[in-house]
């Protein structure tokens, strides 16, 4: 079993930056695909960025060029650097671990509890 805990959310202004973290514990495997998703009220969960075991990244068009996914294997922590934030980025942000890198949430076995990003 894998436990994921996100942190780093908060209130930002347009054009601001945040770094989200996702600490993993339990039965972590280096061959997991790790992903960041978000969900705004009344909307479906949206895939933002994925990072596979080879280090290959993928980004949704909505965040490409603004967000960067990375990980520190020694710390078992996944990150999402978010720059040039916009009001439409307001959402609950989740990290997830799964066996397949895809934008489909159903392929991810483990999820964190989420961290909220809002605009002031």
């Amino acid at each position: 079993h894998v436990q994921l805990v996100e942190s780093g959310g908060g209130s930002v202004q347009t054009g601001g930056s945040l770094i989200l973290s996702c600490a993993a514990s339990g039965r972590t495997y280096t061959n997991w695909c790790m992903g960041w998703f978000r969900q705004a009220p009344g909307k479906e969960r949206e895939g933002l960025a994925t990072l596979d075991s080879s280090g290959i990244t993928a980004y949704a068009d909505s965040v490409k060029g603004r967000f960067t996914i990375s990980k520190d294997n020694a710390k078992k922590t996944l990150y999402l650097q978010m720059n040039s934030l916009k009001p439409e980025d307001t959402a609950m942000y989740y990290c997830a671990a799964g066996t397949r890198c895809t934008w489909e949430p159903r392929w991810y076995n483990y999820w964190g509890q989420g961290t909220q990003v809002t605009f002031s």
Side-chain angles (χ1 to χ4, degrees):
H1 193 69
V2 176
Q3 294 82 42
L4 303 173
V5 179
E6 302 95 335
S7 61
S11 180
V12 295
Q13 295 182 337
T14 300
S17 298
L18 279 176
I19 301 175
L20 305 183
S21 299
C22 172
S25 61
R27 295 179 64 187
T28 56
Y29 297 101
T30 56
N31 59 345
W32 285 122
C33 176
M34 302 299 297
W36 283 100
F37 292 74
R38 68 184 177 192
Q39 189 165 19
K43 294 188 177 181
E44 293 185 352
R45 192 162 294 192
E46 174 190 14
L48 304 176
T50 62
L51 175 61
D52 74 9
S53 57
S54 300
I56 296 173
T57 59
Y59 297 92
D61 288 343
S62 58
V63 304
K64 195 174 295 182
R66 299 190 299 125
F67 291 9
T68 302
I69 188 172
S70 62
K71 66 180 178 179
D72 184 327
N73 287 330
K75 295 182 178 180
K76 294 185 178 180
T77 301
L78 182 73
Y79 302 98
L80 186 67
Q81 171 74 52
M82 305 189 297
N83 298 326
S84 303
L85 285 164
K86 308 173 184 179
E88 51 264 43
D89 294 319
T90 295
M92 184 72 79
Y93 284 70
Y94 301 89
C95 66
T99 56
R100 179 177 176 180
C101 271
T102 171
W103 300 127
E104 292 292 329
R106 63 187 177 94
W107 288 101
Y108 291 81
N109 306 74
Y110 301 101
W111 294 83
Q113 82 291 346
T115 186
Q116 182 70 44
V117 174
T118 57
F119 275 75
S120 58

